[in-house]
Amino acid sequence: DIVLTQSPALAVSLGQRATISCRASESVRSSMHWYQQKSGQQPKLLIYGASNLASGVPARFSGSGSGTDFTFTIDPVEADDIATYYCQQSRNDYTFGAGTKLELK
Amino acid sequence: QVNLQESGPGIVKPSQPLSVTCSVTGYSITTSYYYWNWIRKFPGNKLEWMGYISYDGSIYYNPSLKSRISITRDTSKNQFFLQLNTVTTEDTAVYYCARHRGYNPFDYWGQGVMVTVSS
C-alpha cells in the first residue's frame, strides 16, 4: 500500500494562509487529490490531479506538487473552511491520508 | 445531477454479515468508464477504500478485505451493494458509496450510513 502522511492538525487565524502537506511513501506522479470533510457530511472534492480546482470550488483553494510531496493551500482562510482535510492517491489502488484538522487560533 | 444514497441496517451483531445498498439517481451505473466504490470511515477518522464494481460488472477489492467482501449490482434498479462477512466491532464505521473514473478522484459521494457492530 502507498502510505500518505499528513500532519494531524493546523491552527490558523482567519484571513491568513493555511498550508497542509502530504507525503507519499512512493511516487504517485500527479494522481493526488484533496477533500474537505465537515462533521456529519461526506467528503467534498476540492483539488484533483494535484493542482486542478474542482468545479464550483473557490480559487482560495489550491494544490501543488508531484511525485511524493504535495501541498494544499487555503488563502485566505475563512470561517467556513474549518474542517478536516484529506489527501488521497489513485496511482496504485486508493489510499487516504489520516487527515489534517484545521482549527482557529 | 448525480446522486448517491446509502441505506443499511444501523446495527449488526458480531459474526453476522453487514449489507449496505447504494441507490444511484441521475446517472447510469453502466455508463463507460465509471467505477462505483465503497469507502468507510472509522470512528478515529481513518478513511479506507474497500472495493469497486465497474460499469461492465468487473470487481476489485482491497486486498486486506478480499476474504470477507462482496460487491454486486442490480442494473435494473441502478443500485450496487456491499456485503461484508463475519464482522467484528472493528467494522463499526460510516459506510459511503462513491464514483470515480480511472486515475481520477472520487467525485460524487453519498451522505454515508453509520453501521455499528454490537451484540
Side-chain angles (χ1 to χ4, degrees):
Chain A
D1 281 8
I2 296 179
V3 176
L4 303 180
T5 302
Q6 296 180 245
S7 51
L10 177 65
V12 295
S13 301
L14 294 179
Q16 298 302 303
R17 174 185 297 176
T19 301
I20 298 172
S21 64
C22 179
R23 174 163 289 178
S25 59
E26 61 186 85
S27 176
V28 300
R29 299 195 184 182
S30 62
S31 298
M32 182 64 76
H33 322 295
W34 292 91
Y35 301 85
Q36 175 192 69
Q37 188 171 31
K38 298 180 180 179
S39 180
Q41 297 183 16
Q42 69 270 55
K44 175 186 176 183
L45 176 66
L46 299 180
I47 299 290
Y48 66 94
S51 60
N52 301 289
L53 203 60
S55 177
V57 175
R60 303 183 289 105
F61 298 94
S62 64
S64 65
S66 66
T68 61
D69 290 294
F70 298 86
T71 300
F72 171 80
T73 301
I74 310 171
D75 190 12
V77 170
E78 297 185 357
D80 189 51
D81 301 334
I82 300 308
T84 299
Y85 293 86
Y86 294 90
C87 56
Q88 177 249 323
Q89 66 82 22
S90 57
R91 184 65 191 172
N92 185 345
D93 286 354
Y94 314 90
T95 52
F96 293 84
T100 298
K101 187 174 183 180
L102 189 65
E103 301 168 328
L104 284 179
K105 271 185 188 174
Chain B
Q1 175 73 2
V2 183
N3 189 59
L4 293 83
Q5 180 67 58
E6 305 87 348
S7 57
I11 297 178
V12 178
K13 294 186 185 301
S15 81
Q16 296 299 305
L18 176 161
S19 297
V20 186
T21 296
C22 183
S23 300
V24 181
T25 56
Y27 206 85
S28 172
I29 63 172
T30 61
T31 299
S32 305
Y33 296 95
Y34 283 90
Y35 297 77
W36 303 90
N37 300 265
W38 288 102
I39 296 163
R40 61 181 175 175
K41 184 178 181 181
F42 297 103
N45 292 329
K46 175 185 173 183
L47 285 162
E48 178 183 61
W49 170 77
M50 302 179 72
Y52 67 63
I53 188 163
S54 74
Y55 60 97
D56 64 0
S58 60
I59 53 177
Y60 182 58
Y61 300 138
N62 186 323
S64 70
L65 297 169
K66 196 172 182 180
S67 63
R68 297 199 293 136
I69 189 174
S70 175
I71 299 176
T72 57
R73 66 179 184 172
D74 183 337
T75 57
S76 68
K77 295 182 178 178
N78 216 39
Q79 294 176 324
F80 63 105
F81 312 99
L82 168 70
Q83 180 167 311
L84 188 64
N85 296 318
T86 322
V87 298
T88 71
T89 55
E90 294 187 352
D91 294 309
T92 293
V94 177
Y95 287 77
Y96 297 98
C97 53
R99 184 189 85 163
H100 91 279
R101 176 176 175 170
Y103 289 118
N104 291 328
F106 303 107
D107 57 355
Y108 286 94
W109 297 65
Q111 292 187 327
V113 61
M114 180 71 202
V115 180
T116 300
V117 179
S118 175
S119 55

